[in-house]
């Protein structure tokens, strides 16, 4: 997924704002101050927050997504998709 596509999807969310609290190129998307997506500076993937732990576990079990290194791997419901993967945001 390209940076342009991530930006297009995230910008469409009502109230979404982009900032770079983790440094230049690390696009972080928030609604009401809460992070819902991050694009790595290296552009090797996008991390998104799911609606529940159950959804997170289902996506991991299906092999579609995996725990994100961007959030230390301990934040339930946050997943990382490598660029070029088959699943979208």
């Amino acid at each position: 997924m390209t940076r342009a596509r991530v930006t297009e999807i995230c910008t469409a969310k009502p109230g979404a704002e982009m900032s770079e609290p983790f440094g230049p190129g690390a696009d972080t998307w928030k609604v009401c101050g809460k992070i819902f997506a991050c694009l790595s500076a290296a552009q090797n993937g996008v991390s998104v927050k799911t609606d529940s732990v159950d959804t997170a576990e289902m996506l991991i079990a299906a092999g579609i997504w995996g725990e994100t290194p961007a959030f230390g791997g301990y934040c339930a419901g946050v997943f990382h998709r490598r660029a070029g993967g088959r699943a979208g945001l």
Side-chain angles (χ1 to χ4, degrees):
M1 181 173 295
T2 65
R3 181 174 297 279
R5 180 69 178 133
V6 171
T7 298
E8 178 184 346
I9 291 168
C10 292
T11 304
K13 305 295 179 199
E17 297 178 345
M18 194 278 289
S19 63
E20 297 176 310
F22 305 113
D27 298 356
T28 301
W29 292 89
K30 299 177 183 181
V31 170
C32 296
K34 302 290 185 178
I35 295 173
F36 72 88
C38 292
L39 182 64
S40 69
Q43 295 187 30
N44 64 347
V46 62
S47 300
V48 297
K49 185 166 184 173
T50 63
D51 63 341
S52 70
V53 173
D54 289 340
T55 299
E57 290 173 350
M58 182 269 305
L59 292 170
I60 288 175
I64 296 171
W65 293 71
E67 282 190 76
T68 178
F71 293 93
Y74 60 83
C75 188
V78 180
F79 298 89
H80 186 75
R81 187 69 183 141
R82 287 183 182 23
R86 69 181 191 276
L89 245 181

